[in-house]
Amino acid sequence: MDWKHYFRFAPRANRLEFACVGAVWQGLGLISLVLQTLVLGNSASLSAGALFSSLLLSLAQLALSILMAWLAFASFSRRLHDMNLSAWWIAGYIIPVTGVSLFFQEKWWLFTLLGLIVWLFLCFKKGSPDENRFGSVTVRGQEKKPLLIVFAVLGLLFAVGQTVYSRCVLMPRALAVTQQMQFK
């Protein structure tokens, strides 16, 4: 398997490839949240060793976040290219959703649900069957429906896991560390 292929923004990505990369991307997101929890746990202590390990964990999380962002933009743009759409449609989705989510933070579940719906739509929407302006048709014979469903469900579970972990573990821990730091 040529992993360099998944980091490019062209030509096109079929549904199975998009679902596979999306499941990996969502899994990396869950790992990133766990790293963030470890950083919070280490930052409560002010010893030099704890601060150094916290710095290393923060750098690992930063590298993982950059990798995830690149993977996401590359796979989304290639999937949109398969449907004969420009990658600028990503900005048309991200900018309004991010802008609105900043003002309606108590409705976090709505934006999570919207993101999952868009991701699942892109997983199951068939691409253009002929050659389009972004290149020739990707190999369609490799798209096996059961495998596509497995990766879509796996990505969905990882995404829900991220949301639950963030709301039930990470946010209470961050609040506890903040309160602990205020009393010192």
Side-chain angles (χ1 to χ4, degrees), residues 21-94:
V21 171
V24 168
W25 178 63
Q26 298 290 359
L28 288 175
L30 198 53
I31 292 169
S32 178
L33 288 175
V34 171
L35 283 175
Q36 196 171 0
T37 305
L38 293 174
V39 167
L40 281 173
N42 285 345
S43 65
S45 170
L46 294 176
S47 70
L51 289 176
F52 182 72
S53 64
S54 179
L55 175 66
L56 288 178
L57 286 170
S58 294
L59 289 174
Q61 184 190 10
L62 176 66
L64 191 60
S65 296
I66 291 169
L67 172 72
M68 286 172 42
W70 189 275
L71 258 176
F73 283 122
S75 66
F76 270 84
S77 67
R78 292 177 60 237
R79 183 69 191 119
L80 288 170
H81 289 171
D82 192 43
M83 294 184 284
N84 202 19
L85 295 171
S86 170
W88 283 104
W89 280 92
I90 298 170
Y93 167 75
I94 289 177

Side-chain angles (χ1 to χ4, degrees), residues 77-173:
S77 67
R78 292 177 60 237
R79 183 69 191 119
L80 288 170
H81 289 171
D82 192 43
M83 294 184 284
N84 202 19
L85 295 171
S86 170
W88 283 104
W89 280 92
I90 298 170
Y93 167 75
I94 289 177
I95 292 170
V97 168
T98 303
V100 171
S101 69
L102 291 174
F103 296 107
F104 298 105
Q105 292 179 0
E106 66 277 356
K107 302 278 188 203
W108 59 268
W109 57 270
L110 185 63
F111 302 106
T112 302
L113 183 64
L114 181 63
L116 289 175
I117 289 169
V118 168
W119 185 74
L120 285 172
F121 173 76
L122 291 175
C123 278
F124 291 105
K125 171 83 170 92
K126 289 187 178 185
S128 58
D130 302 322
E131 185 172 334
N132 64 24
R133 61 188 168 142
F134 298 105
S136 61
V137 178
T138 56
V139 180
R140 300 279 182 210
Q142 293 179 348
E143 286 194 19
K144 297 176 177 70
K145 283 258 185 189
L147 200 54
L148 174 66
I149 292 170
V150 165
F151 280 113
V153 168
L154 191 62
L156 189 65
L157 289 175
F158 281 148
V160 169
Q162 282 183 42
T163 303
V164 169
Y165 188 87
S166 176
R167 293 288 166 181
C168 297
V169 176
L170 188 61
M171 288 182 76
R173 188 163 297 174

